[in-house]
């Protein structure tokens, strides 16, 4: 067809080197990213027929050629059934191998042929730098694979999991992480996995420039435990503590012990729970103020310190008992879940 008179023909499109690199990264890694549909069982109010309806969607990625898929726990939460769609649009039923709600990580398994499974190369998150490029691949809004780019805008951030426990050392990025991107991979410029896209900070729930990813160093240890044992075991004192609002009302600084598991680490070490005397008067239990010299002012502080410890490790727990400060050596239990 002849060009219009006077029309200026554009030269053939030439991509810059960094654009070519981004296109290659997307093409090389989309086969590793999957689409997860969370199905719930519902009963029709009129016919009483039981049917499955989608109650949520998200992303995930292939971990190994044995069929393990990694995603966020909140993506699969309360699912009665799960479906995983691969990049070639083949769909597989998925089973939950295990999950760590405290860190928002879950591992699924699908019975797919090994030649369809392309694991992502697992990198390291300990040497990341603010300002380096990152790439998020996922299925926002149920669309086909999409790519967003940005930079690491912050490190060692903290967000709260669905269990209200803190997730530490989180990566902050300005790469758009929209609904449906949850559970997808965050990659560096070499296409190596450095985190799981997990949350956004936005009043509307849509991306507004602040996204978060769980660092791969945290994810790897969790996934290895789940694949090997079906669960994650963490160090614990095996006690229950008072809500922070109550502690503030009492004018206390620290973590007030409410209850101790009779067979747990705290009870064996002699930590004292809150109780009542024969007249019904409240007798405050031990107030934890430090562990191994690190100050404890809240439950979040307590969890952060314990996350750095190991099962079977003996820690020095500093408590306020009445008017006295006491040091109590406690050998940490292993708590699953």
């Amino acid at each position: 067809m002849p060009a219009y008179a006077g029309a200026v023909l554009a030269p053939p499109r030439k991509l810059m080197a960094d654009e070519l690199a981004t296109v290659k990264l997307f093409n090389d890694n989309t086969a590793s990213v999957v689409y997860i549909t969370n199905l719930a069982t519902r009963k029709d109010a009129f016919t009483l027929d039981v049917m499955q309806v989608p109650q949520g969607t998200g992303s995930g990625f292939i971990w190994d050629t044995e069929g393990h898929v990694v995603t966020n726990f909140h993506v699969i939460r309360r699912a009665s059934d799960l479906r995983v769609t691969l990049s070639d649009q083949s769909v597989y039923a998925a089973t939950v191998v295990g999950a760590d709600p405290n860190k928002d990580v879950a591992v699924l398994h699908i019975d797919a042929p090994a030649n369809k499974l392309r694991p992502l190369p697992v990198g390291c998150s300990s040497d990341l730098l603010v300002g380096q490029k990152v790439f998020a691949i996922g299925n926002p809004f149920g669309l086909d694979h999409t790519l967003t780019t940005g930079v690491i805008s912050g490190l060692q951030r903290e967000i709260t999991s669905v269990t209200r426990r803190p997730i530490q050392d989180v990566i902050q990025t300005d790469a758009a992480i929209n609904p449906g991107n949850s559970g997808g991979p965050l990659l560096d410029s070499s296409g190596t996995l450095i985190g799981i896209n997990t949350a956004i900070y936005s009043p509307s729930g849509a991306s507004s420039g602040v996204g978060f990813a769980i660092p791969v160093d945290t994810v790897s240890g969790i996934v290895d435990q789940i694949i090997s044992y079906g669960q994650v075991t963490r160090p614990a004192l095996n006690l229950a503590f008072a809500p922070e609002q109550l502690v503030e009302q009492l004018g206390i600084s620290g973590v007030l012990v409410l209850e101790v598991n009779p067979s747990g680490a705290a009870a064996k070490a002699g930590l004292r729970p809150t109780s009542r005397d024969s007249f019904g008067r409240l007798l405050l239990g031990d107030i934890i103020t430090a562990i191994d010299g690190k100050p404890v002012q809240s439950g979040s502080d307590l969890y952060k310190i314990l996350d750095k410890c190991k099962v079977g490790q003996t820690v020095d727990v500093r408590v306020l008992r009445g008017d006295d400060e006491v040091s109590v050596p406690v050998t940490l239990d292993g708590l699953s879940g």
Side-chain angles (χ1 to χ4, degrees):
M1 187 174 179
Y4 290 107
V8 178
L9 294 177
R13 176 175 287 118
K14 290 185 179 179
L15 299 181
M16 304 297 289
D18 64 330
E19 292 177 308
L20 289 169
T22 300
V23 170
K24 184 177 187 303
L25 180 144
F26 179 71
N27 291 333
D28 288 348
N29 292 288
T30 50
S32 302
V33 182
V34 303
Y35 179 55
I36 298 172
T37 306
N38 179 332
L39 300 170
T41 301
R42 297 281 187 269
K43 183 179 287 188
D44 188 282
F46 299 101
T47 66
L48 300 181
D49 290 339
V50 175
M51 53 189 170
Q52 288 185 321
V53 296
Q55 69 172 351
T57 60
S59 303
F61 54 90
I62 296 166
W63 185 261
D64 56 32
T65 55
E66 295 175 2
H68 293 110
V69 173
V70 176
T71 186
N72 286 144
F73 169 72
H74 75 259
V75 169
I76 64 145
R77 192 181 187 191
R78 300 193 184 99
S80 61
D81 210 353
L82 293 161
R83 295 285 183 271
V84 170
T85 305
L86 302 184
S87 61
D88 64 358
Q89 299 306 304
S90 57
V91 181
Y92 295 89
T95 56
V96 179
V97 180
D100 184 2
N102 294 325
K103 300 299 180 185
D104 201 20
V105 176
V107 179
L108 311 180
H109 183 267
I110 57 174
D111 287 319
N115 61 357
K116 283 194 172 190
L117 301 174
R118 291 183 53 185
L120 282 173
V122 178
C124 173
S125 54
S126 61
D127 58 356
L128 297 177
L129 299 171
V130 172
Q132 76 176 78
K133 282 187 177 182
V134 290
F135 305 83
I137 301 178
N139 294 274
F141 310 110
L143 302 172
D144 195 8
H145 290 97
T146 59
L147 171 73
T148 57
T149 67
V151 298
I152 293 176
S153 48
L155 294 168
Q156 297 182 324
R157 298 297 193 245
E158 182 180 305
I159 59 175
T160 305
S161 70
V162 294
T163 62
R164 311 307 301 168
R165 285 187 64 152
I167 305 176
Q168 303 171 70
D169 301 326
V170 170
I171 303 164
Q172 180 182 324
T173 176
D174 64 356
I177 300 176
N178 293 300
N181 258 359
S182 286
L186 187 70
L187 309 174
D188 64 13
S189 55
S190 68
T192 299
L193 178 70
I194 57 172
I196 302 181
N197 303 319
T198 191
I200 51 176
Y201 181 77
S202 166
S204 66
S207 177
S208 61
V210 182
F212 297 101
I214 304 169
V216 71
D217 291 353
T218 299
V219 173
S220 294
I222 293 170
V223 172
D224 288 346
Q225 281 199 61
I226 290 175
I227 291 175
S228 298
Y229 309 110
Q231 60 185 10
V232 176
T233 302
R234 280 207 172 77
L237 291 170
N238 240 322
L239 55 77
F241 53 82
E244 290 177 21
Q245 298 91 330
L246 174 60
V247 173
E248 288 174 4
Q249 290 173 4
L250 294 172
I252 297 169
S253 178
V255 168
L256 172 63
V257 179
L258 281 186
E259 300 174 353
V260 295
N261 185 323
S263 60
K268 290 175 182 176
L271 289 181
R272 297 180 184 175
T274 298
S275 60
R276 292 188 181 275
D277 65 14
S278 56
F279 298 101
R281 293 174 299 194
L282 190 67
L283 301 176
L284 295 183
D286 288 339
I287 301 164
I288 300 172
T289 58
I291 296 178
D292 279 347
K294 301 178 183 72
V296 173
Q297 296 182 331
S298 65
S300 180
D301 291 340
L302 181 68
Y303 286 136
K304 282 188 238 180
I305 295 169
L306 291 178
D307 277 346
K308 304 291 185 185
C309 298
K310 296 180 179 178
V311 176
Q313 179 179 339
T314 299
V315 296
D316 179 64
V317 179
R318 192 81 175 165
V319 302
L320 185 62
R321 184 174 290 169
D323 295 326
D324 300 322
E325 271 202 299
V326 181
S327 287
V328 181
V330 181
T331 301
L332 299 174
D333 286 336
L335 188 64
S336 299

